[in-house]
Structures are given as structure tokens and as C-alpha cells.
Amino acid sequence: MRKKTHPYNSSAQLEFIENYTYEYESNFDDNQENKGIYCLKMPVLIQSDKTLWELGNIYLQHLLIEKSCSQSTLDSCATELLDFLRFMEHSGLDILHLPDSIHERVTYRYNASLLQRLRQSTIKPSTANGKMRRVLRFYDFCIANELFDKASLRNTPYTEIKRRYLIPSDYGSTFQIEVLSSDLAIRSPKRHLSVDTILDGGSLRPLNLDEQNLVKQYLIDTASREFQLMCYLSLFSGARIQTVCTLRVFNIKDLKKKNPGKFDDAYSLKVGGGTGIDTKNGTQMILKIPSWLVDELIAYSNSQSWKSRAKLSYYGVSDQNYLFLTSKGASYYTSLKEIEDRRISKSLHGFKQSRGLSVRVHIDQMIKKINKNGIYLNNFRFHDLRATFGLNTLNALIRSGFGNDQALMYLKERMGHRSITTTMRYLEYTSFISSVVDANTAFSKALNDYKHM
């Protein structure tokens, strides 16, 4: 029996339809393969009486078909709706329990339940707000598409509120935006950021020089060749984990048909939407890979080690295959292209999607092995190697005589940042760390002077 992980007396659950395809008729394309929307694992909401929760499942289909939500987004939305379904079953309420008394309405009672779980510290404020917001968007969808009988919709599920915020622009000025909210929004405290982190798609902690030396020495002496090269790619190009792990052999070999940049001796590789190489949100950017690393990657792709792994994989010993494969021939991070290729070739039986877990496990194992030698290396994530690259690049540019503005514009391009504000956080971090070192040195000297008085 599955362990209960929620506070409600309900056996409602989430099931999945593997290799789900929503088929539709098209008047413009005779290719039958393109007449459907595919989902690797379509979530389905099941009520305690083992029947489908029709409204919830219609909404999930809407997210897939109309909103083109990713697998992870679908899973998250389904989990949030499941919590609401379990609450209704536990409380003996239905979705249209909207009496005149505002606090008796099902949405307000669910809000009260979430706030109670917050007080008991069994849920985070951001999680509670996400669950509440999802429920309200679900109601919006049902009302907009007239899925409720108007006679049954006695009162509104929530009250809309307009909030105004002042937002700083990239140029130092501010502008005002108006945001629609509700009286059921659960406020989340601003995330506390440690002084030694940079906010860039998450809270990143660049490795200092001593930590970088420890990691580099481990990669040279102990790590497998695959893991070594994956870390090198992030550390010397700033690539994210999904980009590193979805590179194909031909992507790297084709670089040698071009010349590296004269300024940085690096090859430019286009990644993101339309390239077959995944990035965050499909954002297109230019990844610059040092020429020495390109040579090492090509040499690895020609090795017997790579070929042995490739033989066990879906694409086989082919330049179309991933550059990095596990010992069992699986991808470390399944690309969107592979899912589509498998769908077309009907090779999805027994297929499991990977999202970089093995790489993260390797990082944890590396830290533990380094620390066994009496050396304390702080915990870090693979993504922190990207921040380390950004900080190293910025410092190198400044040491070479670049002005702050020039250095920031170059780094913005290398990191693929949409906003210069994100890039500026690296400059702010560099200035802050430098000030801290100077302050600590002065403070230490003052203490030593005091001891000798």
C-alpha cells in the first residue's frame, strides 16, 4: 500500500497514461504522424470511488493541448489539483459548494486548510500559494468554458484584487505595473539569499579558487572521463545541465568546420529551440566552447569507451547520438528530440525519461570522496559550476582592462541572460566579495595589533 503523505481522509490518487496522444483532424496536412499532440505520461485524476474526476482531467487536457505545457508542468498542476480533490472528499464538499457565507465556500475553506498546514510547518508558503493559485485558475477555466451549470454557480469562488507594484528597469528608472490577484492569495516571504550566492535561475554559489582547485584535481585523478568532460563543459562554457547532456556528437564535430574566435579561441555553438540541444525554456543562445575542450570532446566521441555505450543506446554508434551516455547506454538527460524520435518510430515501450539525476548523484559522491581526505569542501550543485564560469569570466575580463560596461555586455552574451540585471548580479557579487576580503584583512590586523599592545 502506498504511504500516505497528505493530511486528508481520501484515497484519491494520480495515475498516468503512458504514450498518450490526443488526435485531431487537420485540413492542412496529410501526414498522419503530425495529427496528434503527444505526452509521454499523461496525468489522470482518480477519485476515491475509482472514477475519473472529469472536470479536473478536462483542465489537464486543456493545459496539454491549448497551453502546450511541458511534462513537468503537467505533473505539477495535476499534483496541485489532486490536493484540492482530496480536501473536498475529506470535507464532504463539492466544487460548487459556494454559499452566501463567504468563509463557508469550498475555496475559502481550502485556503483555511492550507494556512493551518502552514502554521503546522508541514508545507512551505510558496507551495501553499501555488496550490491555491492553481485551484483558482482551474475555476477560471471552468467558468470561462461554461462547464458549470449557471444555476448552480451561486456565488464567485474568490474576489479579484488589483495590486500595483513599482518595478526597477534595466536602466535605473522604475515603472508601475498592475497585477491581478485575489483575496485568497497566500503571501510568501521574500526568499532569503545568502551573501555568497548569485540569483541566476536559482540561488547559485560560485566556487572559490580553493574549491575549484579541489574539484579540478578530483576530475583529473578520480572521475570517469564522461563526468570529467561534463563538468568541464559547464565550468568552461557556462552550459546548464540539460544543455551539456543533450549535446550530440555531430554538434561537436561540426564545430571544426568553422574557425574559433580570435579573441577567446572558442567555437560558437547555437543551442536552444530548433537546434535539438535543450536549454532552459528553449531559449536560443550561443554557447562558446574553448578549442582545447572541443578537441577533447571529439577524441572522446571516437574512443572505444563511447562506442561501447553507444552500442547499447537507442541511436547506436552514430554521430546523431548523445555525446554523453551512461554505462547502460541511456541519456543522462532525455532531450525533447529523443522523445519525438521515439514517438515517430514507435519505440517508447519501457522507455524512461531522465532529468539529470545521475549527474547530480555524481556531484554528491565527488564531494563525499574529497571530504574523506580530511578536506572540507562545501556542498554545491552542478548548476553552481555555471555561476563559477560566469564569475571567472568577469574577473578575467576586468583584469584584462575591460570596463564594467564592456565586461557585462560580453558576459551577458556568454551566459545567455535575457536581462542585463541578472548579469549585473555577478559584478555586484565580485565587488561585495572583494570588500569582504578587505574588511576581514583589516579586522584581523586590528585584532593582532590589539593583542600586542
Side-chain angles (χ1 to χ4, degrees):
M1 181 178 291
R2 190 176 298 173
K3 186 178 178 182
K4 183 178 176 182
T5 57
H6 58 87
Y8 305 122
N9 182 22
S10 164
S11 58
Q13 57 189 311
L14 194 60
E15 299 292 348
F16 293 90
I17 301 175
E18 294 189 0
N19 306 326
Y20 174 84
T21 301
Y22 174 81
E23 296 185 353
Y24 59 90
E25 294 184 2
S26 172
N27 296 323
F28 306 102
D29 193 346
D30 293 331
N31 184 358
Q32 294 294 323
E33 293 288 355
N34 294 326
K35 293 184 179 180
I37 295 174
Y38 175 76
C39 179
L40 189 62
K41 292 172 60 180
M42 182 65 192
V44 180
L45 293 158
I46 309 293
Q47 300 176 115
S48 289
D49 63 3
K50 307 303 180 185
T51 61
L52 298 174
W53 185 28
E54 188 176 1
L55 287 175
N57 291 320
I58 289 173
Y59 177 64
L60 292 177
Q61 279 210 331
H62 157 74
L63 295 179
L64 171 67
I65 299 165
E66 302 295 335
K67 299 296 183 180
S68 300
C69 287
S70 66
Q71 182 72 61
S72 58
T73 300
L74 275 176
D75 293 348
S76 176
C77 294
T79 301
E80 289 163 345
L81 282 185
L82 177 62
D83 193 71
F84 181 53
L85 173 60
R86 285 170 170 168
F87 166 77
M88 289 193 293
E89 291 189 344
H90 174 84
S91 306
L93 303 173
D94 64 49
I95 197 169
L96 286 171
H97 184 79
L98 302 168
D100 292 336
S101 175
I102 190 170
H103 296 294
E104 287 299 314
R105 298 175 192 174
V106 62
T107 44
Y108 286 83
R109 288 177 63 173
Y110 180 58
N111 183 269
S113 172
L114 291 173
L115 292 174
Q116 183 182 46
R117 291 161 70 181
L118 267 178
R119 292 190 293 271
Q120 294 170 345
S121 300
T122 60
I123 192 173
K124 295 179 180 180
S126 57
T127 304
N129 189 46
K131 290 178 182 294
M132 193 71 249
R133 185 169 59 245
R134 178 57 53 197
V135 168
L136 299 188
R137 298 295 77 80
F138 168 55
Y139 271 94
D140 289 344
F141 168 76
C142 291
I143 292 171
N145 289 276
E146 299 182 349
L147 300 183
F148 295 142
D149 181 3
K150 289 185 178 180
S152 301
L153 193 62
R154 297 163 55 190
N155 293 290
T156 59
Y158 68 96
T159 300
E160 196 174 78
I161 295 173
K162 291 181 180 179
R163 300 185 188 277
R164 292 181 175 84
Y165 298 95
L166 287 176
I167 306 296
S169 72
D170 290 348
Y171 307 100
S173 60
T174 58
F175 60 94
Q176 183 175 274
I177 63 170
E178 188 173 84
V179 177
L180 294 179
S181 183
S182 80
D183 59 340
L184 291 177
I186 297 174
R187 289 184 177 272
S188 300
K190 287 187 176 180
R191 179 171 48 176
H192 173 71
L193 293 176
S194 175
V195 294
D196 63 345
T197 59
I198 298 173
L199 190 60
D200 178 7
S203 181
L204 308 185
R205 186 185 72 80
L207 278 64
N208 61 40
L209 289 178
D210 289 338
E211 290 173 325
Q212 290 181 53
N213 289 332
L214 286 172
V215 169
K216 288 176 183 176
Q217 197 60 51
Y218 175 89
L219 294 175
I220 292 170
D221 296 341
T222 309
S224 66
R225 185 60 167 156
E226 300 79 30
F227 181 61
Q228 178 194 72
L229 291 173
M230 283 190 279
C231 290
Y232 281 174
L233 264 169
S234 186
L235 195 55
F236 295 109
S237 75
R240 290 184 170 89
I241 187 170
Q242 62 264 54
T243 301
V244 170
C245 295
T246 56
L247 285 172
R248 307 289 177 131
V249 172
F250 78 88
N251 295 136
I252 301 301
K253 289 185 175 180
D254 283 353
L255 293 178
K256 298 297 286 186
K257 298 175 183 178
K258 301 179 286 187
N259 294 319
K262 293 182 179 179
F263 167 69
D264 48 22
D265 193 29
Y267 288 95
S268 297
L269 176 64
K270 188 175 182 180
V271 298
T275 66
I277 305 171
D278 294 352
T279 57
K280 183 180 179 182
N281 300 322
T283 302
Q284 282 196 352
M285 61 175 285
I286 300 297
L287 191 68
K288 304 201 91 176
I289 307 176
S291 59
W292 65 266
L293 183 51
V294 170
D295 291 338
E296 291 203 25
L297 293 171
I298 291 175
Y300 172 68
S301 72
N302 292 326
S303 70
Q304 188 57 47
S305 175
W306 180 83
K307 291 176 183 176
S308 296
R309 293 170 184 244
K311 285 179 182 177
L312 304 174
S313 71
Y314 171 69
Y315 291 101
V317 182
S318 161
D319 286 356
Q320 298 298 315
N321 210 336
Y322 293 100
L323 181 60
F324 300 116
L325 295 161
T326 69
S327 58
K328 295 182 180 180
S331 61
Y332 283 95
Y333 200 112
T334 307
S335 68
L336 297 175
K337 185 180 186 306
E338 181 183 354
I339 295 173
E340 182 62 14
D341 288 346
R342 284 180 174 273
R343 183 188 72 82
I344 293 173
S345 65
K346 296 180 170 52
S347 303
L348 286 156
H349 181 71
F351 167 64
K352 292 184 178 180
Q353 187 174 8
S354 301
R355 298 190 66 81
L357 178 60
S358 295
V359 180
R360 297 179 179 102
V361 170
H362 280 311
I363 290 285
D364 293 339
Q365 290 174 342
M366 174 174 64
I367 294 170
K368 288 178 182 177
K369 288 179 180 178
I370 291 174
N371 288 340
K372 276 185 178 179
N373 299 322
I375 303 168
Y376 185 73
L377 175 64
N378 288 313
N379 288 333
F380 68 91
R381 299 168 300 159
F382 187 87
H383 200 35
D384 292 327
L385 299 178
R386 168 178 162 80
T388 305
F389 161 79
L391 200 64
N392 288 346
T393 301
L394 182 61
N395 287 333
L397 290 168
I398 292 173
R399 286 196 301 269
S400 298
F402 280 71
N404 286 350
D405 290 343
Q406 292 174 307
L408 284 173
M409 292 308 297
Y410 178 79
L411 184 62
K412 179 179 181 293
E413 180 183 353
R414 289 293 299 265
M415 300 289 284
H417 291 152
R418 291 185 177 182
S419 170
I420 193 67
T421 302
T422 304
T423 316
M424 286 178 65
R425 292 176 185 139
Y426 285 82
L427 182 61
E428 292 165 357
Y429 180 89
T430 298
S431 301
F432 175 79
I433 292 298
S434 177
S435 299
V436 168
V437 170
D438 291 344
N440 284 343
T441 302
F443 183 60
S444 177
K445 182 177 184 302
L447 283 178
N448 288 327
D449 289 345
Y450 175 76
K451 287 179 182 178
H452 292 93
M453 286 179 65

